[in-house]
Every structure is written in structure tokens, then in C-alpha cells.
């Protein structure tokens, strides 16, 4: 008999489902962070479900379908009670070459339906819980892309519509077409750009936030060292925040955060995740754990309550705008509607 832990839940906006207060981002199990251990990845998904995590986030382009097949395997081999509680959040639209290069984004209505058909097959399910284009296709009005997802909702293939990395104006245009459950966007102590316009717009529209990069790809996890090297193909090897002098300056911020976390008796990662959790009950952080020990550490953040003084101390240690380097290389920043 399988027993599950009940975690606190949060709503994905006013129209989306309630999900565990932390979701599991599965990308790193297949792509962009070097080699991953398939057995450990499946075990980590199982451990997350057993702990009460209900939201699994993926993209059809993570490992060119590998990640969806991995989630399929994990759910097929999980006890029925755990499998039935899992909700899938899927991004689509990124075009990839055989060598792995990104070739752009496709948000045409026919492409949306094509991507969904393949994802349903790889996931081994009859519906996707939240479906979103990974980046806005500059050649296709967002109204057309969202309208196509709305048709998938009407047909029963998708339950809820999400968005990813869009700005406030695009968010409003999309919400005028169909109900939007949530916006997936980077949000962390060192990536606070959404606070000016995007977060207020989402709250005005009743759209939840699923925050990825809450540990900035491990940069503020407390586990990255100043002499860190990255395997070929690891995104962090070309990320501005991990390169040259930027890495040292950013790890200086981590050292300051470590002092605050130590006073609280928690790890650096737990302090960083708890800070995001404290920014509002409409925000669900996604944790990109690839191993069970990292998952356990992240889930420990749910037991951390930060009072006003502790929040102020964390923000003094890592002030808004203090990060050295952009969050993506320049060519990838150009694809972010949220940064325009």
C-alpha cells in the first residue's frame, strides 16, 4: 500500500486547478544540464509524487521528446493512486535541429494541434492538464495560438491554457481570447523583472504564476563553486551569469544569502525557495531537482516561514537587480516577449 504526504496546495489562477505548492520541473532530467541518470530521474519523480507533489512540468522539445517519454515511464510504473494525482504542464512550439540547435518557434494553429497530438502519444494520456507555447511566435498573433489551444480544450484534449515568458500586454491580449490559468516565467531573488508590470497584470487578470528558475539553474542553490566547470551541452556553460567575473560576483551574493540562511537554520536553497513562496499564494515555484536528495532539500522549504524581518534580511543580502549578467545569452533574450 502506497501512502502519500499531503502538501499545501495553491491555485493556478482563478480558472486553473489547485496544485501542490511546489511543482517539479523535469527538464534537467533530459536536456540542457549535461547527462542525467534515467533510473534516478524516474525515482525522483516517484519520490515527488509520494511526497505529495502533483504538478509535473515538461516541454515537448526537452530532449526532443525524451522528457515526455520519461514522464510516461515514471507514471506508468507509479502506483495508481500516485499516477492519478499527477497533473502535466507541457510547453510546445520550440523547433529543434538534429544537432539540438534551436531554430525558432511555431505558434500556427495547425502546428499547435500537431504538437499536441505528438505529446499526447508520448505521454500516454488522453489529455494535457496545462498547455502553453514556450515562447511567443513573432509571426503569429498570440490570439491565434491561444485560440487553437482553446479548441483543444473544447475537444477535451487539454484542460487549461497557460502562457510562458510573455509581457503584460501579450498577457492581456491572450486573456481576452480565453481563460488563462497561469503564466510560467522566471522568478527568483536574482530575477525579479516580473514585479514591475507582469505580476500586477497577472493578478489583475486572475492569472497564476508558475515560477521557474527559483534557484537560477543552481546558481543560488548553495551548491555551485567558484571553480565550477560544466559538461559539454550544459546550458550553464554559456549562461552569462555563470561566466567569467559574473560567476564570482553572483556567488558573492550567495555567500551573503548563506549567512542569512544560517541564522535561520536552513540551507541556501531553502531560503531562496521560501522567499519565492512568500511573495504570494498565487505563485507556485517549480523546482528542477534531478535527484532525490535535491528534491528533499527543496521540499524542506515548505516548512520555512519567513517573517518580515527575515524577508528584509534576505532582500538586503540579495537586492533586486544585483545579479551580474543577463539570464540568457543575447540571442535567446531576443525571443523573450517578457523582456521586450
Amino acid at each position: 500500500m502506497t501512502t502519500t504526504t499531503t502538501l499545501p496546495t495553491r491555485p493556478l489562477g482563478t480558472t486553473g486547478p489547485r496544485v501542490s505548492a511546489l511543482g517539479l520541473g523535469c527538464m534537467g532530467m533530459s536536456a540542457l544540464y549535461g547527462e542525467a541518470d534515467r533510473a534516478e530521474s524516474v525515482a525522483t519523480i516517484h519520490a515527488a509524487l509520494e511526497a505529495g507533489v502533483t504538478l509535473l512540468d515538461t516541454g515537448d522539445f526537452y530532449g526532443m521528446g525524451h522528457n515526455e517519454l520519461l514522464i510516461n515511464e515514471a507514471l506508468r510504473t507509479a502506483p495508481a493512486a500516485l499516477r492519478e494525482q499527477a497533473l502535466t504542464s507541457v510547453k510546445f512550439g520550440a523547433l529543434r535541429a538534429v544537432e539540438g540547435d534551436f531554430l525558432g518557434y511555431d505558434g500556427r494553429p495547425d502546428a499547435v494541434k500537431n504538437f499536441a497530438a505528438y505529446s499526447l502519444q508520448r505521454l500516454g494520456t488522453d489529455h494535457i492538464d496545462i498547455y502553453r507555447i514556450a515562447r511567443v511566435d513573432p509571426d503569429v498573433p498570440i490570439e491565434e495560438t491561444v485560440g487553437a489551444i482553446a479548441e483543444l480544450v473544447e475537444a477535451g484534449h487539454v484542460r487549461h491554457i497557460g502562457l510562458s515568458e510573455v509581457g503584460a500586454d501579450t498577457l492581456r491580449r491572450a486573456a481576452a481570447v480565453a481563460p488563462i490559468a497561469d503564466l510560467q516565467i522566471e522568478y527568483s531573488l536574482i530575477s525579479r523583472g516580473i514585479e514591475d508590470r507582469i505580476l500586477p497584470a497577472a493578478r489583475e487578470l486572475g492569472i497564476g504564476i508558475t515560477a521557474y528558475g527559483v534557484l537560477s539553474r543552481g546558481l543560488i542553490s548553495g551548491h555551485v563553486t567558484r571553480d565550477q566547470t560544466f559538461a559539454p551541452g550544459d546550458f550553464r556553460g554559456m549562461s552569462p551569469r555563470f561566466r567569467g567575473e559574473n560567476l564570482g560576483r553572483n556567488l558573492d551574493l550567495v555567500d551573503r544569502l548563506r549567512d542569512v540562511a544560517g541564522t535561520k537554520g536552513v540551507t541556501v536553497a531553502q531560503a531562496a525557495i521560501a522567499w519565492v513562496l512568500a511573495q504570494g499564494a498565487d505563485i507556485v515555484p517549480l523546482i528542477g531537482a534531478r535527484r532525490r536528495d535535491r528534491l528533499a532539500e527543496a521540499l524542506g522549504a515548505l516548512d520555512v516561514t519567513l517573517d518580515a524581518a527575515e524577508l528584509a534580511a534576505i532582500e538586503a543580502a540579495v537586492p533586486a537587480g544585483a545579479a551580474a549578467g543577463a539570464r540568457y545569452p543575447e540571442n535567446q533574450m531576443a525571443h523573450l516577449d517578457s523582456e521586450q
Side-chain angles (χ1 to χ4, degrees), residues 42-68:
V42 170
T44 300
I45 294 173
H46 286 171
L49 295 173
E50 290 166 4
V53 172
T54 62
L55 182 63
L56 302 179
D57 182 77
T58 185
D60 63 10
F61 52 95
Y62 293 166
M64 282 71 103
H66 178 279
N67 204 236
E68 290 178 318

Side-chain angles (χ1 to χ4, degrees), residues 98-188:
V98 174
E99 296 77 14
D101 297 335
F102 283 87
L103 305 176
Y105 298 90
D106 193 343
R108 294 172 301 147
D110 284 349
V112 173
K113 295 170 184 178
N114 176 77
F115 288 132
Y118 281 78
S119 284
L120 289 167
Q121 180 68 24
R122 285 188 291 261
L123 289 166
T125 184
D126 63 358
H127 73 275
I128 295 166
D129 292 288
I130 309 107
Y131 202 46
R132 70 188 84 240
I133 190 165
R135 301 286 187 268
V136 174
D137 181 344
D139 298 323
V140 178
I142 193 64
E143 290 86 351
E144 294 183 15
T145 302
V146 168
I149 306 176
E151 291 179 12
L152 291 170
V153 172
E154 186 175 355
H157 304 311
V158 169
R159 295 281 170 83
H160 303 280
I161 304 171
L163 292 167
S164 176
E165 285 290 354
V166 304
D169 294 341
T170 303
L171 197 61
R172 295 182 191 282
R173 288 169 52 197
V177 174
I180 306 298
D182 70 320
L183 167 62
Q184 187 173 121
I185 196 163
E186 186 167 354
Y187 187 41
S188 73

Side-chain angles (χ1 to χ4, degrees), residues 2 42 45-46 49 72-83:
T2 298
V42 170
I45 294 173
H46 286 171
L49 295 173
N72 181 338
E73 177 184 343
L75 293 178
R76 278 190 294 105
T77 55
L82 300 183
R83 181 168 62 249

Side-chain angles (χ1 to χ4, degrees), residues 97-282:
V98 174
E99 296 77 14
D101 297 335
F102 283 87
L103 305 176
Y105 298 90
D106 193 343
R108 294 172 301 147
D110 284 349
V112 173
K113 295 170 184 178
N114 176 77
F115 288 132
Y118 281 78
S119 284
L120 289 167
Q121 180 68 24
R122 285 188 291 261
L123 289 166
T125 184
D126 63 358
H127 73 275
I128 295 166
D129 292 288
I130 309 107
Y131 202 46
R132 70 188 84 240
I133 190 165
R135 301 286 187 268
V136 174
D137 181 344
D139 298 323
V140 178
I142 193 64
E143 290 86 351
E144 294 183 15
T145 302
V146 168
I149 306 176
E151 291 179 12
L152 291 170
V153 172
E154 186 175 355
H157 304 311
V158 169
R159 295 281 170 83
H160 303 280
I161 304 171
L163 292 167
S164 176
E165 285 290 354
V166 304
D169 294 341
T170 303
L171 197 61
R172 295 182 191 282
R173 288 169 52 197
V177 174
I180 306 298
D182 70 320
L183 167 62
Q184 187 173 121
I185 196 163
E186 186 167 354
Y187 187 41
S188 73
L189 270 169
I190 64 170
S191 295
R192 296 177 61 179
I194 73 169
E195 293 176 345
D196 293 335
R197 296 186 63 235
I198 296 173
L199 183 56
R203 286 175 167 161
E204 176 190 333
L205 296 165
I207 296 171
I209 298 291
T210 43
Y212 76 88
V214 294
L215 296 177
S216 197
R217 297 161 186 83
L219 181 58
I220 58 172
S221 68
H223 300 300
V224 171
T225 62
R226 293 176 186 272
D227 59 352
Q228 191 88 29
T229 59
F230 299 103
D234 190 319
F235 166 83
R236 292 169 295 185
M238 63 177 183
S239 171
R241 290 183 175 174
F242 285 86
R243 293 176 66 87
E245 294 182 358
N246 287 350
L247 177 61
R249 290 171 57 190
N250 290 326
L251 290 181
D252 287 343
L253 298 175
V254 174
D255 287 341
R256 292 163 59 179
L257 179 60
R258 182 177 285 107
D259 291 340
V260 178
T263 300
K264 180 70 173 175
V266 301
T267 69
V268 174
Q270 288 167 343
I273 297 168
W275 179 88
V276 176
L277 284 164
Q279 302 313 301
D282 54 349

